[in-house]
Amino acid sequence: MKNFVVKTIANAGALAVAIWLIGNITLEGGSTGRKALTLILVALIFGLVNFLVKPVVQLLTFPLFILTLGLITLVVNALMLMLTSWLAGVFDLSFHVEGFWTAVLGGLIISVVSWALNVVLPDEN
């Protein structure tokens, strides 16, 4: 359970950095508390998308992974971020990613920040 909370916090932090750095990734809302709650909910959706959908997409794109020497991972991460944005819209959360190239850059930033946070944060079950 603790590992789940740590990963969710790392996802929320990585999403917050992407929102802060990229103007076309937006998180809107009223108060700071409302934005924080929305960010945590989006981080949960992002975690579920990465847990459930991403392995299937990676399996289907394995030949492209070999052909592009792993660069297709940037596209897969962008698609997962765009799917998270769409699902956030379905759940009426004010998180939006505008465009594919914004999602590619956002996915790259989220991957780097999430990796760094997972190195720093404790990893216990």
Side-chain angles (χ1 to χ4, degrees):
M1 181 68 181
K2 189 175 183 181
N3 193 25
F4 174 75
V5 173
V6 168
K7 297 241 186 246
T8 302
I9 291 170
N11 277 340
L15 284 165
V17 170
I19 291 165
W20 179 60
L21 289 176
I22 303 172
N24 289 337
I25 299 178
T26 58
L27 178 73
E28 299 169 355
S31 65
T32 304
R34 177 78 175 148
K35 284 183 180 179
L37 178 63
T38 302
L39 185 62
I40 294 295
L41 292 174
V42 170
L44 287 170
I45 292 171
F46 187 65
L48 284 173
V49 165
N50 281 329
F51 181 73
L52 298 174
V53 179
K54 191 173 182 178
V56 175
V57 173
Q58 285 178 328
L59 181 65
L60 294 174
T61 60
F62 186 71
L64 289 174
F65 182 82
I66 293 171
L67 186 65
T68 64
L69 300 175
L71 289 177
I72 193 72
T73 304
L74 291 172
V75 174
V76 170
N77 288 343
L79 292 174
M80 296 305 106
L81 189 58
M82 292 181 75
L83 179 59
T84 301
S85 175
W86 179 77
L87 286 171
V90 168
F91 291 114
D92 200 28
L93 298 171
S94 57
F95 174 77
H96 183 67
V97 177
E98 187 177 325
F100 175 74
W101 293 109
T102 300
V104 170
L105 183 58
L108 181 62
I109 290 170
I110 290 169
S111 295
V112 170
V113 173
S114 181
W115 169 80
L117 287 175
N118 281 314
V119 166
V120 173
L121 292 173
D123 189 22
E124 298 175 10
N125 289 327

